[in-house]
């Protein structure tokens, strides 16, 4: 089954803040229409078959980014579509919970499945039969219907949630990808008591544990053992996971043993051209141009990268503020570089240099489990602050 489903030729990207104005200008010449909005989401059916209906005020382009076969999570991107407030709710039938929020390229529907299921069909219904709006329909079917217990009639109802309704108590988790720098044949910086690759892995495991304990995040690791993972593969892991945030953990080095302190890197503007190697013909911004207009796709990619860089920089500032309570910062603590692990065009990403392994005081912090745990706790606080900030922006 193809992962791409073309609904119409419109390609208007919804975004936040100043990027909205840029999008409106850039895409105005390509399409006379305006952005589409999510009106409501409705669920119907039972544990054998469940229908999801996303009501839209206009036609839009849709793409299934994940079918749920690997992690029981269906992800559908709607470029050119926006939602005024993050919309989420409890599930029904094969749906455990769902959320619609604004991603880098438009609205994004994410569905946690209650059991193994397949996407049986999906289609767009135009206004008809007294219904004034478009309806994007996704039909889910149990992978093994014979094993499904027949639902009670009361479970086979049809429920809906308007955009301005009350938030449900079962939001989907944000996806955070943690990258333990170096590994395997690549030891990284050598400190007095060992290699960087071991420090970064220990820190990554601590961060993963603390994030999962909050119950608010789904955590994906690029490596969980002493193995080498190519930089390009680390980026691909983040994109395949539909990550909301990517954090690469490292330890610094310097010729001056008195030099110490943490710093955070985000992608330099000059390096964004290298992101093109991670863009495929299946990406929504390559699909969105009318009649395959490469120029429009290029504009959309550029705008997506710009938003991603802005979000990365926003998280970097929050992160530095939080970790300064546990670790001194370099004088120029927020830096930009063309680091390979930061090249995903649509995933906000930072590289955190936790301190200098060539400095005795910094190395002592990074090798002490309790101190390292407190440092990672400050990273968790920064992640909480960042997602709280982005949710607030989306609701304004």
């Amino acid at each position: 089954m193809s992962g791409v489903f073309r609904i119409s030729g419109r390609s208007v990207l919804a975004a936040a803040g100043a990027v909205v104005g840029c999008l409106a200008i850039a895409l105005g010449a390509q399409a006379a229409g305006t952005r589409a909005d999510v009106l409501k989401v409705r669920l119907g059916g039972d544990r054998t078959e469940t229908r999801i209906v996303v009501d839209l005020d206009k036609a839009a382009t849709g793409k299934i980014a994940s079918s749920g076969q690997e992690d029981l999570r269906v992800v559908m991107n709607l470029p050119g579509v926006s939602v005024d407030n993050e919309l989420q709710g409890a599930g029904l039938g094969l749906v455990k919970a769902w959320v619609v929020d604004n991603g880098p390229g438009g609205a994004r529907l994410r569905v946690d499945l209650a059991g193994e299921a397949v996407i049986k069909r999906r289609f767009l219904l135009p206004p008809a039969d007294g219904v004034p709006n478009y309806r994007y329909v996704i039909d889910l079917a149990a992978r093994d219907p014979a094993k499904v217990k027949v639902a009670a009639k009361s479970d086979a109802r049809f429920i809906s949630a308007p955009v301005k309704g009350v938030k449900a108590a079962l939001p989907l988790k944000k996806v955070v990808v943690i990258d333990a720098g170096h590994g395997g044949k690549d030891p990284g910086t050598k400190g007095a008591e060992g290699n960087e690759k071991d420090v970064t892995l220990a820190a990554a495991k601590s961060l993963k544990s603390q994030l999962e304990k909050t119950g608010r995040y789904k955590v994906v690791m690029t490596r969980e053992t002493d193995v080498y993972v190519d930089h390009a593969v680390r980026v691909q892991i983040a994109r395949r996971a539909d990550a909301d945030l990517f954090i690469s953990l490292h330890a610094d080095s310097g010729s001056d043993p008195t030099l110490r302190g943490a710093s955070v890197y985000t992608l330099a503007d000059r390096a964004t051209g290298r992101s093109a190697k991670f863009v495929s013909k299946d990406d929504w911004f390559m699909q969105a141009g009318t009649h395959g207009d490469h120029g429009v796709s290029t504009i959309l990619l550029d705008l997506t990268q710009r938003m991603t860089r802005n979000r990365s920089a926003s998280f970097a500032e929050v992160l530095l503020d939080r970790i300064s309570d546990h670790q001194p910062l370099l004088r120029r603590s927020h830096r930009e570089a063309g680091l390979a692990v930061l090249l995903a065009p649509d995933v906000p990403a930072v590289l955190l240099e936790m301190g200098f392994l060539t400095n005795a005081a910094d190395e002592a912090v990074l090798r002490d489990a309790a101190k390292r745990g407190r440092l990672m706790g400050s990273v968790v606080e920064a992640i909480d602050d960042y997602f709280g900030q982005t949710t607030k922006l989306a609701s304004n």
Side-chain angles (χ1 to χ4, degrees):
M1 181 185 298
S2 173
V4 177
F5 169 42
R6 185 166 187 80
I7 298 176
S8 79
R10 299 189 183 187
S11 43
V12 180
L13 177 65
V19 180
V20 174
C22 295
L23 290 168
I25 295 171
L27 299 182
Q30 188 269 333
T34 57
R35 70 177 187 177
D37 291 315
V38 177
L39 302 176
K40 58 185 174 182
V41 175
R42 297 177 288 145
L43 304 177
D46 53 32
R47 286 188 174 272
T48 301
E49 291 195 7
T50 303
R51 171 165 289 187
I52 305 169
V53 180
V54 181
D55 287 335
L56 305 164
D57 66 347
K58 297 179 181 67
T61 301
K63 176 191 173 185
I64 297 295
S66 174
S67 64
Q69 300 305 301
E70 295 181 358
D71 58 359
L72 297 182
R73 171 172 285 195
V74 172
V75 180
M76 182 184 75
N77 292 324
L78 285 171
V81 178
S82 66
V83 57
D84 289 339
N85 296 284
E86 183 178 274
L87 177 63
Q88 56 191 254
L92 177 76
L94 291 167
V95 175
K96 181 179 180 181
W98 57 270
V99 64
V100 180
D101 60 5
N102 288 308
R108 174 177 54 182
L109 169 67
R110 290 184 285 183
V111 178
D112 275 353
L113 299 175
E116 292 189 356
V118 297
I119 299 174
K120 189 174 181 180
R121 65 178 72 87
R122 59 188 190 277
F123 51 92
L124 181 78
L125 291 174
D129 300 324
V131 179
N133 52 265
Y134 289 85
R135 289 150 290 167
Y136 190 103
V137 179
I138 303 174
D139 284 338
L140 302 173
R143 177 176 290 277
D144 190 350
K147 294 182 180 180
V148 176
K149 183 179 179 180
V150 179
K153 290 183 179 179
S154 60
D155 291 335
R157 64 194 186 281
F158 205 85
I159 60 175
S160 64
V163 167
K164 295 185 179 180
V166 178
K167 271 193 175 183
L170 294 174
L172 268 68
K173 298 176 181 179
K174 297 293 186 181
V175 179
V176 178
V177 173
I178 305 173
D179 173 44
H182 306 282
K185 65 181 182 180
D186 177 14
T189 295
K190 184 174 179 58
E193 299 182 37
N195 296 318
E196 179 183 1
K197 67 177 183 178
D198 302 314
V199 169
T200 60
L201 184 57
K205 289 181 176 179
S206 174
L207 179 56
K208 177 178 186 288
S209 175
Q210 293 187 57
L211 282 172
E212 290 179 336
K213 284 180 180 178
T214 69
R216 292 187 289 273
Y217 304 102
K218 175 185 175 183
V219 180
V220 176
M221 300 270 280
T222 59
R223 70 179 183 98
E224 298 190 66
T225 59
D226 184 19
V227 296
Y228 176 74
V229 180
D230 187 84
H231 292 151
V233 173
R234 298 175 195 237
V235 175
Q236 291 162 355
I237 288 172
R239 298 199 73 207
R240 286 197 300 267
D242 193 43
D244 296 287
L245 188 63
F246 175 92
I247 305 173
S248 188
L249 299 177
H250 287 256
D252 222 331
S253 66
S255 58
D256 182 356
T258 66
L259 184 62
R260 67 174 305 197
S263 60
V264 175
Y265 285 84
T266 55
L267 187 67
D269 182 66
R270 65 181 181 276
T272 54
R274 293 166 55 202
S275 296
K277 69 179 182 179
F278 295 106
V279 177
S280 73
K281 60 182 176 61
D282 291 329
D283 287 312
W284 69 265
F285 33 74
M286 302 305 293
Q287 299 277 337
T290 302
H291 306 302
D293 188 331
H294 180 71
V296 171
S297 298
T298 301
I299 291 171
L300 289 171
L301 172 59
D302 178 68
L303 293 169
T304 299
Q305 290 176 310
R306 189 180 310 170
M307 176 177 286
T308 299
R309 292 199 308 275
N310 289 343
R311 290 184 173 182
S312 299
S314 176
F315 175 64
E317 293 300 324
V318 174
L319 180 58
L320 287 167
D321 181 61
R322 283 295 189 175
I323 64 177
S324 64
D325 294 335
H326 300 278
Q327 184 75 329
L329 303 178
L330 289 179
R331 179 179 299 177
R332 187 168 63 87
S333 54
H334 183 181
R335 305 180 173 204
E336 294 186 343
L339 301 170
V341 292
L342 304 180
L343 287 175
D346 49 1
V347 179
V350 302
L351 185 147
L352 170 61
E353 294 280 8
M354 300 177 290
F356 283 74
L357 279 187
T358 49
N359 176 272
D362 274 0
E363 184 174 22
V365 170
L366 297 179
R367 292 200 180 279
D368 183 277
K371 294 177 180 178
R372 186 174 60 235
R374 286 193 288 272
L375 180 61
M376 292 302 99
S378 67
V379 178
V380 174
E381 292 172 353
I383 293 171
D384 284 340
D385 290 347
Y386 168 74
F387 284 119
Q389 182 185 81
T390 54
T391 298
K392 183 177 180 181
L393 284 172
S395 64
N396 287 340

